[in-house]
Amino acid sequence: FRLPDWPDGQYTLKVTATTGANTEAISETITLKRAWRLMVSTDKPVYQPGQSIHVRSLALRTPDLHPVPGETAVFNITDPRGNIIFKRAGVTSTYGISSADCALASEILEGAYTIACRIGVTESQCTVEVKHYVLPAFGVQLTTDKPFYAPGQEVGIQAQGDYFFGKPVAGAAVELQATSGT
């Protein structure tokens, strides 16, 4: 049977069985305690000082894995020395989702930062790295489908971007701007 969605606490469970003309009943005190699964994640594993960490959580009720709406989710971010640098509370959505953004200072201790989310007594953690890094450089090559064009003709251009270590740049936005040669 399904337990009602009541607050945690002590309740009396009464079971009645009828077999023919005989009826028997038994009562027991039970403890109702919520059980949730909680996942916390970020948008990327490495951040630079001055960037914002985007944190989100998903809370599901066990054992049926339905969302946990309307519960208070508390996010904490702890630096490598164990200092809490960020604490924010929010309420889970209809889908059991909560989120928070933490803007990192431009001068901050580098290393592993622990991100935790707690809903009730359930907690989940993940770790991100905060450090300076340089994105790899890449080159762009443009080729046209014809060596020359007459006025009013459509120009076909193919853009190819490759990192200098040989791997193609994937998912990048391309913006072209054309000017006359005069």
Side-chain angles (χ1 to χ4, degrees), residues 94-113:
T94 304
Y95 303 103
I97 298 170
S98 185
S99 64
D101 292 332
C102 171
L104 297 172
S106 57
E107 296 294 325
I108 194 167
L109 182 66
E110 293 187 14
Y113 282 66

Side-chain angles (χ1 to χ4, degrees), residues 1-5 32-38 59-68 122:
F1 71 98
R2 290 185 182 205
L3 292 173
D5 191 17
L32 186 60
K33 184 177 180 185
R34 297 181 182 278
W36 296 316
R37 291 186 140 209
L38 181 61
L60 300 174
R61 189 174 60 212
T62 54
D64 60 9
L65 299 180
H66 283 94
V68 178
T122 305

Side-chain angles (χ1 to χ4, degrees), residues 79-90:
D79 72 9
R81 292 185 184 150
N83 302 310
I84 295 176
I85 65 159
F86 177 82
K87 186 172 187 175
R88 186 79 25 107

